[in-house]
Amino acid sequence: MDIPRAFTYAFKDRHWLIKLVKMALLAALIPVPIIGVFCLCALLGYLAEILHNVSFDYPRPLPEWDHVGDDIGKGAPVLLAIIVCHLPPLIVIGLLYLFREALAVSLFGSITFLGILSAILPLLLIYLVFAWALLAIGLAHYAETWEAAAFFQLNWSLRDARNHGLLTLQWLISSLAASLILLLIPPLAPFLFIPAQGYLAGVYGRRLRAARFRLGDPYAKATDVNALDFAAPEGQPPPQRRESV
C-alpha cells in the first residue's frame, strides 16, 4: 500500500486547507465532555466517507464539510464498533488492576501478579490484532453499504479474514506505520491522521472487493451504494449533496 500517497493526496484538493483545518478543530474539541463525543463521531464519519471515495476511485477523495450532521450519523456506528471491539481487553485490564490491588501487598503477591500479567499480555496482543482485522473488514463493508450491521456480520468478516488474511495483514502494517510516522511529527497528527488512515483503509477496501470478485464470493454481488453522496469523478456531473472539488 502506498503510504507516502496517504499523506500527500489530500493536498491535490483545491480546498485542502479549509478541510484539514476544520478537521483539526474537531480533533481539538474531542476532550470536551459531551461535545467531544459528537466531534469524534463526525471525524469517524468523515474517515468512512474518505474510505468510500478512495475505494470507489474518486479523483478527489476529501469530502466537503457541509453536512456535519450526516458525518455524525455515519460515525456513530463506527464509534460503537470500536467500543465493542475494545471492551473485552478493557474489562481484562480492569480486573487485572483490581487483582493487583489485592495481591501487591507482599513480595509473593507482586511476583504472582507479574506472572499472571506476562501470561495474559501476549493473549491480549493476539486478540487486538484479530479484533482490528475484523474491525477493518467491517469498516470496508460499512463504507460499501452504510449499514451499521456490517460491523457485526461476523460470518462475512471471519470469511474475509480467512480468505484474505495476507491483504488484511498488509493493511494492518501500513496503518501502524502511518500512525508511527505521525507520532514522530505530532503537530501534523490532527491534520493528517484521518486522511491517511481513510486513504489506506480505502485502498484496502478496494483490494478486498476485487479479491472477493476473483474468488466468486457471494458478498461481491453488486452493492447498492449511494455513489453520489460524497464526490463525483472527473468529467461527470457533480453529486446532489456532497461535492468534492
Side-chain angles (χ1 to χ4, degrees):
M1 296 188 182
D2 192 348
I3 295 178
R5 180 169 170 76
F7 292 105
T8 59
Y9 78 93
F11 300 106
K12 296 182 180 180
D13 191 300
R14 283 190 296 176
H15 300 154
W16 66 268
L17 180 59
I18 187 63
K19 292 179 181 180
L20 296 185
V21 168
K22 288 180 178 180
M23 196 180 309
L25 289 175
L26 287 174
L29 291 174
I30 289 178
V32 179
I34 301 177
I35 294 176
V37 175
F38 291 99
C39 293
L40 180 58
C41 287
L43 289 171
L44 291 174
Y46 197 76
L47 182 147
E49 292 167 1
I50 294 174
L51 192 164
H52 172 97
N53 291 352
V54 173
S55 178
F56 287 92
D57 290 316
Y58 290 113
R60 298 184 182 92
L62 282 185
E64 298 290 344
W65 278 107
D66 53 357
H67 286 81
V68 178
D70 288 349
D71 297 327
I72 293 173
K74 287 182 170 66
V78 183
L79 179 59
L80 176 61
I82 292 174
I83 293 173
V84 171
C85 170
H86 292 89
L87 197 57
L90 289 176
I91 293 174
V92 171
I93 291 172
L95 292 175
L96 283 175
Y97 176 79
L98 294 176
F99 194 57
R100 182 183 71 87
E101 291 297 313
L103 284 181
V105 294
S106 66
L107 178 61
F108 176 77
S110 299
I111 294 174
T112 302
F113 175 77
L114 289 175
I116 295 173
L117 186 63
S118 62
I120 290 179
L121 282 181
L123 296 177
L124 284 179
L125 181 60
I126 293 172
Y127 168 83
L128 285 174
V129 170
F130 183 69
W132 289 339
L134 294 183
L135 185 62
I137 293 169
L139 185 59
H141 291 181
Y142 176 66
E144 290 179 1
T145 63
W146 300 116
E147 295 178 358
F151 288 108
F152 306 103
Q153 294 173 338
L154 291 181
N155 54 335
W156 292 111
S157 297
L158 290 172
R159 179 181 300 178
D160 277 344
R162 182 181 67 250
N163 294 338
H164 314 295
L166 181 59
L167 178 60
T168 304
L169 181 62
Q170 291 174 350
W171 164 81
L172 181 61
I173 293 173
S174 63
S175 177
L176 289 175
S179 298
L180 289 175
I181 291 171
L182 289 175
L183 282 176
L184 296 175
I185 317 174
L188 294 181
F191 299 93
L192 294 180
F193 180 82
I194 294 295
Q197 295 296 343
Y199 177 85
L200 293 172
V203 173
Y204 169 70
R206 182 171 64 230
R207 295 176 64 185
L208 181 62
R209 190 169 63 252
R212 289 198 218 108
F213 273 109
R214 286 196 298 270
L215 290 180
D217 194 312
Y219 191 87
K221 65 183 184 300
T223 307
D224 181 19
V225 176
N226 295 322
L228 293 181
D229 276 355
F230 310 115
E234 298 276 32
Q236 294 189 10
Q240 298 174 354
R241 295 193 304 139
R242 187 178 289 271
E243 184 179 6
S244 178
V245 295

